[in-house]
């Protein structure tokens, strides 16, 4: 089994990234859940404001996953990960 050449700072940096992305996720979830229903815009009788806030949250969640994958791929390339692409 090959030993990884990753530095000691690798995992603490990754944990900070994960904590930051989870903080964004939590903030978006609480804001949409708490503030979204107060958006009283109606479109054809449906609560359009809340629907738009919910759909926007889904875009943020996808962006969080994309950012995590992008940053981790870059860090793995710099650190010399043993895994194949």
């Amino acid at each position: 089994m090959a030993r990884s050449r990753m530095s000691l700072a690798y995992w603490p940096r990754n944990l900070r990234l994960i904590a930051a992305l989870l903080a964004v996720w939590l903030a978006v979830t609480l804001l949409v859940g708490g503030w979204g229903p107060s958006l009283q815009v109606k479109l054809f009788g449906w609560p359009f404001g809340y629907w738009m806030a919910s759909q926007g949250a889904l875009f943020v969640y996808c962006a969080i996953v994309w950012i995590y994958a992008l940053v981790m791929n870059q860090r793995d390339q710099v650190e010399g990960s043993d895994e194949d692409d």
Side-chain angles (χ1 to χ4, degrees), residues 12-73:
R13 283 186 351 186
N14 292 345
L15 292 176
R16 282 192 301 272
L17 172 67
I18 292 168
L21 293 175
L22 282 175
V24 171
W25 169 81
L26 181 64
V28 168
T29 300
L30 292 177
L31 285 174
V32 169
W35 179 60
S38 67
L39 300 172
Q40 297 298 324
V41 178
K42 298 263 185 193
L43 184 65
F44 303 114
W46 295 92
F48 185 69
Y50 183 70
W51 181 81
M52 285 301 291
S54 298
Q55 295 303 311
L58 292 176
F59 285 119
V60 173
Y61 299 153
C62 290
I64 288 171
V65 172
W66 181 78
I67 290 168
Y68 177 77
L70 180 71
V71 171
M72 290 305 295
N73 281 337

